[in-house]
Amino acid sequence: MLTDIDPRVTARVNLEAVLGALPLLASLVPEAEKLLLPLAKPVTLRLVVRGGPRGSYTFDRNGIRPGTGGATAGLVFTSCDHFNRVIAGTAQPVPFGGPTGLRFLTGVFTPISQILGRYLEPTADDLPDPVFRAASVRLTLRVALAAVAVIGNEDRSGRVSAGQMRDGRVDLEVGDDLRHQVWVQDHRLTFVENPTEPPQAALRFSDLDLAGGVFSGTTSAIAAVSDGRMSMRGVISMIDNLNRILDRTGQYLGK
């Protein structure tokens, strides 16, 4: 069934989209940025999922970036399902890296990942704060569009929609300040966090509150299109198929 969730795809979504938001979190949220200040040298967190994806993020006083370049700390997961349960908060990983790695994991990575979870799944008490809400929506949009690229490439239903997309670039724009992009080439999707190339199609929201409302399902997309707060331009078939993958993304992210 095309509604089934593939744990291997979920694992890649968690590694590339959810944890992929850590660099943005460190640049947006002072509470996360402060946790990096005690790092005297860079530390590379290696994530090893047996039978699934592997990835690395490097932490230093200036922020977080994908890739290697520091002393190693790591987490091993026995399977994709184990990794997904750890991300969901219902299981524990297996750490490696010696005492220094353990201190990094408990003192830096774990509290930063908890902050990320709070911003991606805010409570009703968090949302009245406009600064918190804006950061939460920005992180959620980043996760959702990065997940679109994974699901369009790896999920059976997502590949059907990606297979109908022509080569080109689709923008997701919020106001005049925020822009992400999905690059389509030979029916493979790539998430572009800070695009410079012009798009062939674009989905545009008037502001962050509207984008957050539409992605959370609390605001009607049809109503927003009707009153002009949400608009589309360019090759509409690309946006249509992107929206189909976005719907699938909600199933993987549990939205």
Side-chain angles (χ1 to χ4, degrees):
M1 293 177 63
L2 294 180
T3 56
D4 289 346
I5 299 299
D6 184 338
R8 293 172 301 175
V9 179
T10 304
R12 192 166 289 279
V13 166
N14 282 328
L15 182 70
E16 298 182 15
V18 176
L19 296 182
L22 287 171
L24 179 60
L25 178 80
S27 70
L28 280 180
V29 178
E31 185 183 358
E33 188 179 15
K34 288 179 182 176
L35 287 166
L36 300 173
L37 295 180
L39 291 174
K41 297 180 179 179
V43 178
T44 295
L45 173 67
R46 296 182 184 274
L47 301 158
V48 179
V49 183
R50 291 176 181 163
R54 299 184 176 201
S56 299
Y57 292 93
T58 296
F59 298 64
D60 63 26
R61 292 172 58 89
N62 298 315
I64 304 171
R65 59 179 173 79
T68 60
T72 298
L75 296 171
V76 173
F77 308 88
T78 57
S79 65
C80 290
D81 181 63
H82 179 215
F83 179 50
N84 297 333
R85 286 187 288 115
V86 170
I87 295 297
T90 60
Q92 295 297 319
V94 180
F96 67 90
T100 301
L102 290 176
R103 281 196 296 272
F104 166 79
L105 291 171
T106 57
V108 178
F109 175 66
T110 297
I112 285 182
S113 63
Q114 289 170 342
I115 294 170
L116 178 63
R118 179 182 165 215
Y119 274 79
L120 294 180
E121 295 184 358
T123 66
D125 292 337
D126 291 323
L127 292 177
D129 179 350
V131 176
F132 181 99
R133 187 169 65 249
S136 175
V137 172
R138 285 197 63 175
L139 286 160
T140 300
L141 292 178
R142 197 264 179 220
V143 169
L145 214 56
V148 161
V150 173
I151 292 166
N153 295 333
E154 306 295 338
D155 173 68
R156 193 154 59 101
S157 175
R159 288 200 301 271
V160 172
S161 297
Q164 298 178 42
M165 298 177 77
R166 50 167 278 182
D167 285 359
R169 297 169 184 270
V170 184
D171 265 9
L172 186 148
E173 301 168 353
V174 181
D176 295 325
D177 301 322
L178 177 60
R179 180 182 171 215
H180 294 318
Q181 195 173 74
V182 173
W183 176 25
V184 186
Q185 187 173 38
D186 296 330
H187 308 296
R188 297 283 297 179
L189 309 186
T190 302
F191 169 64
V192 183
E193 186 161 13
N194 299 299
T196 58
E197 298 292 329
Q200 281 66 51
L203 183 62
R204 182 179 179 81
F205 300 86
S206 60
D207 54 51
L208 273 175
D209 279 344
L210 175 64
V214 170
F215 274 81
S216 67
T218 59
T219 299
S220 165
I222 294 175
V225 169
S226 299
D227 64 21
R229 291 178 297 153
M230 179 176 163
S231 62
M232 295 172 277
R233 68 176 190 273
V235 183
I236 300 303
S237 63
M238 296 184 76
I239 298 174
D240 183 47
N241 282 295
L242 186 75
N243 280 331
R244 293 176 195 276
I245 302 174
L246 269 173
D247 284 342
R248 186 72 170 137
T249 298
Q251 294 175 301
Y252 275 98
L253 293 174
K255 304 295 183 185

